[in-house]
Amino acid sequence: MRSIRYEKDADSIVHLVLDKPDAATNLMDEQFADDIRTAAQQLLEDDFRGVVIRSAKSTFFAGGDLNMLFRAGPEDRDRVYAMTEKIKGAMRAIETCGKPVVACINGSALGGGWELALSAHHRIAQSEGVKLGLPEVTLGLLPGGGGVTRLVRLMGLQDAMPYLTEGRLFDPQKGQQLGLIDDIASTHEELLEKAIAWIAAHPESIQPWDQKGYRIPGGTPTHPKLAGMLAVAPAMMRKQTKGVMKAPESILCTMVEGSQVDFEHASKIETQYFVELVTGRESKNMISAFWNQLNAIKAGVARPKNIEPRQFAKVGILGAGMMGSGIAWACASRGIHCVLKDVSLASAEKGKGYSAGLMDKRIARGRATDEQKEQLLTLIQPTDRAEDLHGCDLVIEAVFESRDVKAEATREAEAQIEADAVFASNTSTLPISGLATVSARPENFIGLHFFSPVDKMPLVEIIVGDKTSDKTLAEAYDFVQQIGKTPIIVNDSRGFFTSRVFGTYCNEGMAMVGEGVDPVSIENAAWLNGHPVGPLAVSDEVTLTLQAKIRQQTIRDLEAEGKPIPEQPGARVKDKLLELGRQGKSTGGAFYDYPQGGQKRLWPGLRELFYKADAQIPLQDIRDRLLFIQSLDTVRCMEEGVLVNVRDANIGSIFGIGYPPWTGGVLQFINYYGVPEFVARAKELAGKYGERFSPPQLLLEMAKKGETFSNS
C-alpha cells in the first residue's frame, strides 16, 4: 500500500494512517481505491481490538481526485462505477468488521474525507481549524462514497437536506450539536488518547443502521409529515436550480430512493447517480470554474512575481454612497481602519450607518454580538476633511461617475497621502488611463471595480492602466484578497470586461422588447437559462438613467477621439421609457412596477407599446441570444487584449455579472457547446437577429484548428 500505512500497536489496535506520498493532502483516487481494499482484506485476516483511521497530513482527507473526475467522460462509466464500488465495498467491510472503528479528524474532512469519517463508529475531531461537510453539489457532483446514504441514516431526510443539497459546511462544535461528531480534542495527542479509550470501552461496535429494528430518524418518505414536505420539495428545488443544475435534484432522488431500501441497495443507487453526474458535462464545467480556475486565482497565479506582499492598515474611501459605504464595510469587517469621506459629515455618518445596519442584521440572526458591532464601527472614521486621509496607504475613489468629479477627488486625496500609497478608482466604465492623467503618480493609479452590494458580491475587477506599475498591480491584488474578495485582472478599455459584457445582456433583452417579443418570454427565458435576474429586471435595478448617462459619456469620449459611435441594441426602448419618466426601480419602476407591499410585476404598458403578435420567436432563440451575446463579446475582449486569460473571463462572468454557474463561465460555455457548433449557431443567430452575433475571427480560427479555451 502506498497511500495508507497499516500499523498495529502494542495494544493490538490497528492504525490506518492516511499518507499519500509526495502530496500535501490525501485524495480518494485509484491508488486509494486499491489501498483501502487491501487494508480491508488485511483487517479481515488479522486479530485486532479496534481500528483508528487517522492522517499523517495537516488535514484529514481532502476528498475525491477532481482532476481524475474532470477527465472522466461517458466512455468511462464502467471504470468510474467499479472504482467507486471498490472504495465503498472496502469502507463497508471495515465498518462491519465487528470491532470498534474510530476516525481521528485532525484537520478538515470534506467530501470523500467526511464520507470516510462517516463510515467509522465514533468520530473525534480537533477543536480548531477543522471544516467538515459534503460540498460536492457546488461542483455539480453528489457524495458518491456513501455520504448520502449514511448522512440520511444518521440525521433523517429533512435534517440532512441542507448538508447534501446545499453542501453546507460546519465546524466540530456544530457537528457535535448535530450528533455527527462524538467528541472533541484540543491536541493531536488527546485525539489519539480519546480514540484508544473509546475502543477499550466499546470492544464490539456496530453502525446504527446495521442494528435490528433500526429506523431512519423522522421516518421514510411514506411518513405523513415527510410525505407533505417531499411533495413540494422538487418544486422548491426547481425554483433554486431553474432546471439547469442536475446535482441537487440527483441528490434529492438519491436521498428519497435510498431511504426506502436497505443500506446495500441504497449505496448502489447512490453510485449510479454519482457516475451519471461525474461523466456528464455539467460537472466538468463547474469543476473547471470553481476548482481549477478559482483556486488558481486564490493562489495568485496572475499576480506579478518577485514583489513583496503588502498588507494595508489604513484605507481612505472617497464617497459615502452605496458603493463607498459597502467598501468601508468590506475593510472594517476584515479589521482594516478606514476613513470614509464625503462632502458633508452627515453624508459620511450616513455611510457609516450602512455598516451598523448590516451588523444589526447579523446580531438578530445570532451571527454577531453588540460588542463585535462596536469594535467594527470604531474602525470606520466618517469625515468631510481631506486632511484625515493622511497616513492612508490606499485610497479608493467611489464618487459619482463623472470625469470632472473624479479628477477633483483624485487631486484632493493625492495631496494628503504618501508617495508609495496606491490610488484606486471604483469606476465601472470610464477608462483608467484617462482618469490617471490628472494623477501626480499615474504608476500608482489603478482601477478597483467593486460590485453592488459589496457585502454580498465576491468579485473585484482590477483594471490596469497604461502606466500602472507591476508593483501597484501586485499590491492591489493583495488588498482584494486581504478583504476576502476574488480578484480578476483586466486591461484598460471602455467598460472593461464585466460592465461591457453585462451591458450586452441588458441591451439584448431591451432589443427583443423593441422587436415586439413578449417581455414575459424574455424574462422566463433568462430564468430557464439559470440567470439570477432577467435582463429587464436587472436593467431596472441598475436604472435606465445610469445606463443613459454612461452612454452619453461614451458618445462624448468617442466623438472627442474621432471614433465611430456603435449602435446600441434596445436604445429605442430605453429612450421611450425615459421619455415617459420610467427610469428604474429606485424611482418607481421602468420595465416593472413595484407596488407597495406587493411583488414586482412587468409594467402592462410594455405590451401596449411594443408587443407584436407576429414578432414572437422560438423560446430557444431567446435563451441562446441571452447566452451567446455575452460569450461572443467576451471573445472580442480576448481578441482586443482586454482579457489576458480564460480563467478571469469565466470566474468574472459568474461572480460578477451572474452568468449561469452550470456553464462554467462565458468561455467554458463555448467549450461545452462545442466551438464549431457554437460558431454555426452564432452565424444562424446573426442571420436572423443581427451582425452582433457574427463570430469573431479568433473564434473562427479556433473552430478551424479544433482548439478550445483552456484553463490557462
Side-chain angles (χ1 to χ4, degrees), residues 293-304 446-451 457-463 473-490 497-498 643 645-653 655-656:
Q293 296 176 352
L294 184 57
N295 282 342
I297 288 174
K298 290 179 178 178
V301 67
R303 182 188 185 275
I446 198 164
L448 288 179
H449 177 205
F450 288 80
F451 295 79
M457 296 295 283
L459 192 78
V460 175
E461 185 179 29
I462 302 176
I463 306 106
L473 171 57
E475 292 176 349
Y477 202 101
D478 294 339
F479 169 71
V480 173
Q481 292 197 308
Q482 187 180 345
I483 60 172
K485 302 291 186 184
T486 300
I488 63 167
I489 301 173
V490 304
F497 161 55
T498 54
L643 283 163
N645 63 67
V646 173
R647 174 182 57 247
D648 287 348
N650 286 330
I651 295 301
S653 67
F655 284 10

Side-chain angles (χ1 to χ4, degrees), residues 603-615:
W603 177 49
L606 281 181
R607 284 178 62 92
E608 296 171 12
L609 286 170
F610 301 109
Y611 177 79
K612 299 174 186 175
D614 60 354

Side-chain angles (χ1 to χ4, degrees), residues 637-702:
C637 287
M638 295 290 289
E639 273 188 330
E640 297 165 19
V642 177
L643 283 163
V644 295
N645 63 67
V646 173
R647 174 182 57 247
D648 287 348
N650 286 330
I651 295 301
S653 67
I654 295 171
F655 284 10
I657 60 177
Y659 204 75
W662 66 268
T663 65
V666 273
L667 295 182
Q668 179 60 25
F669 175 67
I670 299 176
N671 292 344
Y672 163 85
Y673 203 94
V675 177
E677 292 82 1
F678 185 94
V679 165
R681 178 59 170 154
K683 288 179 178 179
E684 183 182 348
L685 293 172
K688 295 169 72 174
Y689 304 113
E691 189 62 26
R692 61 187 177 277
F693 288 100
S694 293
Q697 188 61 35
L698 173 61
L699 205 55
L700 294 172
E701 292 173 2
M702 289 177 64

Side-chain angles (χ1 to χ4, degrees), residues 561-635:
E561 297 167 13
K563 295 179 180 178
I565 299 167
E567 182 183 350
Q568 185 180 64
R572 181 174 69 88
V573 173
K574 185 189 303 177
D575 292 344
K576 182 63 178 177
L577 290 180
L578 287 171
E579 188 182 301
L580 294 171
R582 298 191 66 84
Q583 301 174 1
K585 182 179 178 180
S586 60
T587 55
F591 290 100
Y592 281 79
D593 282 329
Y594 300 87
Q596 190 171 4
Q599 287 191 334
K600 68 180 183 184
R601 55 175 179 248
L602 280 162
W603 177 49
L606 281 181
R607 284 178 62 92
E608 296 171 12
L609 286 170
F610 301 109
Y611 177 79
K612 299 174 186 175
D614 60 354
Q616 303 315 298
I617 62 177
L619 178 62
Q620 191 59 51
D621 282 12
I622 303 175
R623 293 182 63 176
D624 284 352
R625 287 175 68 172
L626 295 175
L627 288 170
F628 271 62
I629 197 66
Q630 296 181 77
S631 290
L632 287 164
D633 205 48
T634 301
V635 176

Side-chain angles (χ1 to χ4, degrees), residues 105-107 124-131 171-174 176 181 183-188 190-191:
I105 307 169
N106 63 306
I124 311 172
Q126 280 189 231
S127 55
E128 300 296 329
V130 173
K131 280 293 180 186
D171 59 24
Q173 290 74 22
K174 179 64 175 180
Q176 201 167 30
I181 292 294
D183 204 350
I184 294 177
S186 57
T187 65
H188 186 69
E190 187 183 2
L191 202 64

Side-chain angles (χ1 to χ4, degrees), residues 546-555 565-568:
L546 177 59
Q547 293 180 57
K549 286 179 179 177
I550 292 171
R551 175 67 174 168
Q552 290 161 8
Q553 180 69 61
T554 300
I555 291 172
I565 299 167
E567 182 183 350
Q568 185 180 64

Side-chain angles (χ1 to χ4, degrees), residues 172-402:
Q173 290 74 22
K174 179 64 175 180
Q176 201 167 30
Q177 294 173 17
L178 295 170
L180 302 176
I181 292 294
D182 300 296
D183 204 350
I184 294 177
S186 57
T187 65
H188 186 69
E189 291 72 24
E190 187 183 2
L191 202 64
L192 283 174
E193 289 171 5
K194 288 190 170 189
I196 292 168
W198 191 85
I199 288 173
H202 301 81
E204 293 183 0
S205 296
I206 187 172
Q207 293 285 28
W209 46 86
D210 290 324
Q211 296 176 19
K212 189 175 181 179
Y214 165 79
R215 293 179 182 274
I216 291 177
T220 63
T222 57
H223 190 283
K225 288 185 179 179
L226 275 179
M229 184 272 289
L230 291 174
V232 298
M236 293 174 63
M237 183 168 289
R238 181 57 62 97
K239 188 176 181 180
Q240 293 179 327
T241 66
K242 302 175 175 62
V244 293
M245 303 281 280
K246 292 182 181 178
E249 295 180 5
S250 294
I251 290 171
L252 182 60
C253 290
T254 303
M255 294 173 69
V256 174
E257 292 173 27
S259 66
Q260 300 177 80
V261 294
D262 61 35
F263 186 95
E264 311 303 338
H265 284 91
S267 182
K268 289 192 180 298
I269 290 170
E270 178 188 275
T271 302
Q272 289 167 350
Y273 277 109
F274 173 72
V275 172
E276 181 182 345
L277 291 176
V278 167
T279 57
R281 291 195 292 177
E282 180 186 307
S283 65
K284 305 293 181 288
N285 292 345
M286 298 183 74
I287 291 171
S288 175
F290 298 116
W291 183 256
N292 296 332
Q293 296 176 352
L294 184 57
N295 282 342
I297 288 174
K298 290 179 178 178
V301 67
R303 182 188 185 275
K305 305 297 185 286
N306 303 318
I307 294 172
E308 283 294 314
R310 184 172 185 178
Q311 288 285 298
F312 292 85
K314 185 179 180 183
V315 174
I317 301 160
L318 311 180
M322 179 179 290
M323 293 302 295
S325 300
I327 296 168
W329 158 266
C331 292
S333 63
R334 293 286 171 153
I336 302 172
H337 175 64
C338 54
V339 178
L340 183 58
K341 181 189 176 298
D342 210 306
V343 292
S344 72
L345 184 59
S347 296
E349 291 281 7
K350 183 180 178 182
K352 180 177 179 177
Y354 179 78
S355 290
L358 289 176
M359 287 302 291
D360 286 339
K361 290 179 182 177
R362 293 193 168 206
I363 291 168
R365 294 170 186 157
R367 295 174 56 197
T369 64
D370 289 327
E371 182 182 6
Q372 288 171 326
K373 174 185 174 181
E374 291 307 311
Q375 288 174 348
L376 182 138
L377 293 178
T378 60
L379 293 171
I380 302 175
Q381 177 187 348
T383 185
D384 58 356
R385 291 166 24 92
E387 293 80 5
D388 289 334
L389 297 171
H390 185 73
C392 288
D393 37 20
L394 167 66
V395 171
I396 303 172
E397 166 270 300
V399 300
F400 185 68
E401 197 78 348
S402 160

